[in-house]
Amino acid sequence: MFYLKTNSFSGLHKKLATACILSVLVLASLYCSTAQKAKSNNLQPAIVSRQDWNAATAKPYKEHIPIRITVHHEGTKLLATDDAAKKIRNIQKWGMGPDRKWTDIPYHFLIAPNGIIYEGRDVYTVGETNTEYDPAGHLLICCLGNLEEQPVSNEQLNSLIALIAYVSKKYSIPIETLATHKDHSAQTTCPGKNLYRYFQDGYIRSAVEKLLNK
Ligand SMILES: [Zn+2]
């Protein structure tokens, strides 16, 4: 009897101990996954959604998986005080119009001279180009403005660095693939000499690597 009683008592303890260990494990794994999530998301910059810039609905897309990052400038003058959302709506309207008949705005992300980042077309769809390279597999980032003529603002440059780090991590695109339009096409000076020099001297790449290694 005593033996049985002890046995059932210790059995209860065992169950309680197991329950405690399991709860601790569940809590620990929840904490870890939350911490991990926070870590993988902490590179995400603020991005103005398509809805917020009033994008038109895209036509059916050609899908792809982005495996490289390619940077452009838009090529027409835009100042930090100008209405970037209006400019982006016009780029989309022109691209989807009779001139080009594209399915959407040509780029996956756009960055205004004041540093605000805008969502472009779906990242898993092939972008568009007026030149001879095939944009399939390229994640296209466009800095608004004519960066052959106008200087790159610190805000635009810093947002570009932050966005490159974010997309590189989010879509598992190696930073070694980072390049510009003119690196893929002989038909253009895009992204303009005032931005290109930060690619030539390695400034953008090393700033992105710093963010990724934080
Ligand atoms: Zn370009």
Side-chain angles (χ1 to χ4, degrees), residues 95-135:
M96 294 178 80
D99 266 2
R100 290 293 175 273
K101 299 194 180 86
W102 290 336
T103 57
D104 196 352
I105 193 157
Y107 311 104
H108 299 106
F109 294 95
L110 303 98
I111 306 173
N114 61 11
I116 295 178
I117 302 172
Y118 295 82
E119 177 188 23
R121 68 167 51 208
D122 186 323
V123 166
Y124 291 107
T125 66
V126 182
E128 310 284 356
T129 180
N130 289 318
T131 59
E132 85 286 21
Y133 87 106
D134 178 3

Side-chain angles (χ1 to χ4, degrees), residues 74-111:
E74 196 274 325
T76 57
K77 189 177 171 185
L78 190 81
L79 302 176
T81 46
D82 290 339
D83 187 345
K86 185 179 170 194
K87 177 77 178 179
I88 291 169
R89 280 193 298 276
N90 285 339
I91 299 167
Q92 187 193 32
K93 204 172 170 185
W94 165 78
M96 294 178 80
D99 266 2
R100 290 293 175 273
K101 299 194 180 86
W102 290 336
T103 57
D104 196 352
I105 193 157
Y107 311 104
H108 299 106
F109 294 95
L110 303 98
I111 306 173

